[in-house]
Amino acid sequence: MTWYVLYTKPKWEKKVAEKLNQIGVESYCPTITRIKQWSDRKKKVETPLFNSYVFVQLSDIDRNVVFSVPGVIRFLFWLGKPAVVRDEEINVIKTNLKAASVIDILVSSIQIGDRIKLESGAFSKQDAIVQEVTKTHYILVLESLGCVLKMRYK
C-alpha cells in the first residue's frame, strides 16, 4: 500500500486523522508540542507539523473512501498525479519527532546558499539549503521532504 497526502480544511488535521482511523484507513498526522502564550497563562499545545496535511496509507483503488470523512478537501498532486510519500520518509518523520529537542547551533558561519546537514532535532540527518539568515532566525529548504523550515535561535 502507498502513502498519499491529503489536503484538509485548516485546523482539521487531527480530527480528519482520527476519523480516518475510525473507518479503518491508516492515517498519520505528525504533531509537535508548542508552548502557546496567552495574556494570562502559558499552555502546551499539540499542533500539526504540516498545516492542512494528513498522510494516509491505502491502495490506489480505495482512494475515494477518504472523501466520506468531513474535513477532507482533496489529495495533494505532484506532476498531475497524487503525491506519493515513500515509507522511508514517513519513518524519518516518525523517528525524528521522537528525538530530543533541537540543540543550539552556531549560526555565525552559515551563509545563504550553503548546504548543511542537520545534526539534531526533528529533522536530524536531513540535508538543507540555507535560504535566509536574519538576526532572529534562519530559513532552510529541505529538498528531500519538499518543505521550508524556519528556525529561531536563542
Side-chain angles (χ1 to χ4, degrees):
M1 291 203 293
T2 309
W3 284 98
Y4 295 100
V5 182
L6 281 180
Y7 185 73
T8 67
K9 289 182 179 180
K11 311 282 187 204
W12 279 60
E13 302 90 347
K14 293 193 291 185
K15 290 178 242 174
V16 166
E18 181 181 324
K19 292 288 184 186
L20 287 167
N21 286 328
Q22 287 175 0
I23 65 169
V25 175
E26 185 173 349
S27 64
Y28 176 55
C29 178
T31 58
I32 56 173
T33 303
R34 294 183 180 178
I35 298 176
K36 294 283 189 172
Q37 173 81 44
W38 284 270
S39 61
D40 60 339
R41 67 190 185 285
K42 289 183 181 181
K43 186 176 179 182
K44 288 184 179 181
V45 179
E46 287 260 330
T47 58
L49 182 61
F50 304 108
N51 292 333
S52 297
Y53 292 138
V54 173
F55 301 100
V56 292
Q57 187 177 34
L58 38 81
S59 61
D60 193 42
I61 58 172
D62 293 332
R63 279 200 355 238
N64 288 334
V65 74
V66 299
F67 294 111
S68 66
V69 173
V72 173
I73 296 177
R74 62 179 172 82
F75 282 97
L76 184 70
F77 280 78
W78 177 256
L79 300 175
K81 296 179 182 178
V84 173
V85 181
R86 297 187 318 254
D87 287 332
E88 303 87 52
E89 292 170 330
I90 295 293
N91 291 333
V92 164
I93 294 170
K94 286 180 179 179
T95 56
N96 288 334
L97 285 178
K98 293 177 187 174
S101 61
V102 178
I103 60 168
D104 292 334
I105 300 172
L106 179 62
V107 179
S108 60
S109 63
I110 296 177
Q111 301 294 321
I112 294 174
D114 286 354
R115 289 189 171 273
I116 61 171
K117 184 180 270 308
L118 300 176
E119 296 178 2
S120 66
F123 297 101
S124 66
K125 299 180 184 171
Q126 292 293 313
D127 292 321
I129 300 172
V130 179
Q131 187 177 45
E132 180 180 323
V133 178
T134 68
K135 292 181 181 179
T136 59
H137 68 274
Y138 52 102
I139 295 179
L140 306 173
V141 177
L142 304 175
E143 290 179 328
S144 65
L145 297 176
C147 66
V148 176
L149 180 65
K150 180 177 180 179
M151 298 183 77
R152 287 177 279 169
Y153 35 87
K154 299 175 183 180

